[in-house]
Amino acid sequence: MRFIQIIEYKTSRIDEFNALLDRWVEKNAGRSLATRAVHARDRDNANVYLNIVEFPSYEQAMENSSRPETAEFAEQVKALCDGPPTFRNLDLVKEHDVQS
């Protein structure tokens, strides 16, 4: 079953965060267990952002979380955030392609 993790965080240092994220994506190109990732800004809450990451399964997401490079990235992100992130762990139950 596909798995989606949403990581919500608040930062006033988004340019630094984006640079860190870009470096991490480049460094891990071809080795990522994720199949899709989206970085979004909450229009209604200042400085609130979400990373929405999809994996083939929960198990692969947990394998990704246990990687040393992921732990290192998380520590670097933590230093740029205004508080701890909030995680939502979702099993994909149903999906619709709604394009005409």
Side-chain angles (χ1 to χ4, degrees), residues 37-55:
V38 176
H39 181 108
R41 177 178 56 91
D42 187 328
R43 294 182 64 101
D44 299 321
N45 296 295
N47 297 327
V48 174
Y49 298 86
L50 297 104
N51 285 344
I52 305 163
V53 186
E54 185 174 329
F55 295 89

Side-chain angles (χ1 to χ4, degrees), residues 73-88:
F73 175 71
E75 282 301 311
Q76 293 170 336
V77 164
K78 186 177 171 182
L80 298 175
C81 290
D82 306 332
T86 301
F87 291 85
R88 290 187 177 71

Side-chain angles (χ1 to χ4, degrees), residues 6 11 14 22 36 41 49 51 57 71 78-79 81 85 91 99:
I6 300 174
T11 182
I14 194 59
D22 290 345
R36 185 163 188 256
R41 177 178 56 91
Y49 298 86
N51 285 344
S57 68
K78 186 177 171 182
C81 290
D91 291 324
Q99 293 183 5

Side-chain angles (χ1 to χ4, degrees), residues 3 6-7 12 14 17 23 28 30 32 47 55 63 65 70 76 86 89-90 97-98:
F3 177 79
I6 300 174
I7 307 154
S12 56
I14 194 59
F17 184 98
R23 284 192 306 273
N28 291 287
S32 178
N47 297 327
F55 295 89
E63 180 182 335
S65 293
T70 303
Q76 293 170 336
T86 301
N89 297 309
L90 310 169
D97 183 2
V98 294

